[in-house]
Amino acid sequence: MTTITIGKILHKYQNFLTEYEVKKLREVQRGKTDFPTQVNDLKHALFGEEWDFMTKENSDTGNPMSQEYTDRVNKKREAFGVSPINDDGYSTDNTSDIFCEEVVRHTKNYKELLELKKKNAKQIVFVDMDNVLVNFQSGIDKISEEEKLKYEGDLDDVPGIFSLMDPYEGAIEGYKWLAKNFDTYILSTAPWDNPSAWTDKLLWVKKHLPDVAYKRLILSHNKHLAKGDFLIDDRTANGAENFPGKHIHFSEKGKGFEDWKTVISYMKNLA
C-alpha cells in the first residue's frame, strides 16, 4: 500500500468521512496507546460500519439499514483499498484490519524516523536466511539420493547442505539496498542437530555478502528477543510470530511480500 498516516487521512480523505469519523480519528491521533490498542481504536473510528449494522440506526454515521449508508461507506472503503461490506453489513475479509495496522505502523514509523534522523541513526531490519536470502531447494537439489533417503523429513540435518545453497532471486541486491538505508542484520536459525550448519551459514554470508554483512550474522532460536523495527522472514517459527516490530511475511500468499521486488518497494516508503 502507499505510505499513509492518520494525518494524511484527515488531510486528503475528509470528503469520504463524516464529521463524527473525523472527530474520532483526531482522538486516535492524539492518543498515546500501545500498537494493538491504537489499531483497534483506529478501526472503530474509521470503519465503524462493521459494528453499526448491529443497531437499526446510528445518528452519528447514518442509518446502516439504508442503501445510501451502504453506498457511502463502500465508497470510503474503496478509496482506502478495503473490501466493501456485503448486503448484510458484514465485512467480507480482513483487509480493514490490515489497512489499520499499516496506517498505525506508518504513523509510528514517521514519528520515530524523525527522531532517528535527528540522532543520525537508522531503523533496524533483521533478514532471515533460509528461503529469504537463501534458496533452500537449491541445496537439496545438490545432495545425493542416498542422503535424501537417509535424512528424509530432516533434510536440514544433512551435513554441509547449507554450504551448497544458492542465493534467493533478488536477495543479494535487496540486502545490499537495505544495508545502505537501514541498520541491517541477518537473523537466522541453524538446526540444533546439525553442527556444520552453524559454520556453513557463516561461510555462506562471507561468500555472498562479505562486506555489507560483516559481523552482522545472528543465529538464534528465539527471534522474539531481537529488538528492532522489521523482520523479513518466511515463517512465524522460532519467535518470529512474536517479534516486537513489523514482521514482513516473505513469500506468504496474500501478505503482499511475494518476492524481493515487493519487499524493497514497500521498504522504500520507510527509508
Side-chain angles (χ1 to χ4, degrees), residues 120-231:
N120 197 27
K122 297 179 179 180
Q123 296 181 98
I124 298 173
V125 177
F126 296 108
V127 185
D128 181 39
M129 287 189 71
D130 304 333
N131 290 323
V132 178
L133 282 175
V134 177
N135 184 336
F136 191 88
Q137 183 62 44
S138 67
I140 297 175
D141 293 341
K142 295 175 184 177
I143 63 176
S144 67
E145 293 302 319
E146 289 77 13
E147 288 175 311
K148 291 179 183 178
L149 183 62
K150 179 180 178 180
Y151 291 93
E152 185 176 4
D154 295 295
L155 291 176
D156 57 355
D157 285 339
V158 175
I161 190 172
F162 288 91
S163 65
L164 304 174
M165 298 178 185
D166 299 324
Y168 201 97
E169 183 178 358
I172 301 303
E173 297 80 3
Y175 185 92
K176 288 180 178 179
W177 184 89
L178 288 173
K180 289 180 180 179
N181 294 279
F182 296 87
D183 190 7
T184 308
Y185 299 83
I186 296 172
L187 178 59
S188 184
T189 300
W192 194 255
D193 294 323
N194 185 359
S196 77
W198 298 70
T199 301
D200 291 335
K201 291 203 172 198
L202 172 60
L203 294 176
W204 191 96
V205 173
K206 284 189 171 186
K207 178 181 179 180
H208 296 283
L209 296 164
D211 300 319
V212 291
Y214 178 69
K215 292 189 176 181
R216 285 178 172 265
L217 171 63
I218 302 170
L219 297 177
S220 174
H221 288 82
N222 300 281
K223 295 181 180 181
H224 60 288
L225 298 179
K227 184 179 180 181
D229 300 287
F230 302 94
L231 169 63

Side-chain angles (χ1 to χ4, degrees), residues 75-90:
K75 187 177 293 185
K76 172 190 66 177
R77 294 169 76 90
E78 181 182 5
F80 294 130
V82 172
S83 298
I85 57 173
N86 59 26
D87 293 337
D88 296 323
Y90 289 93

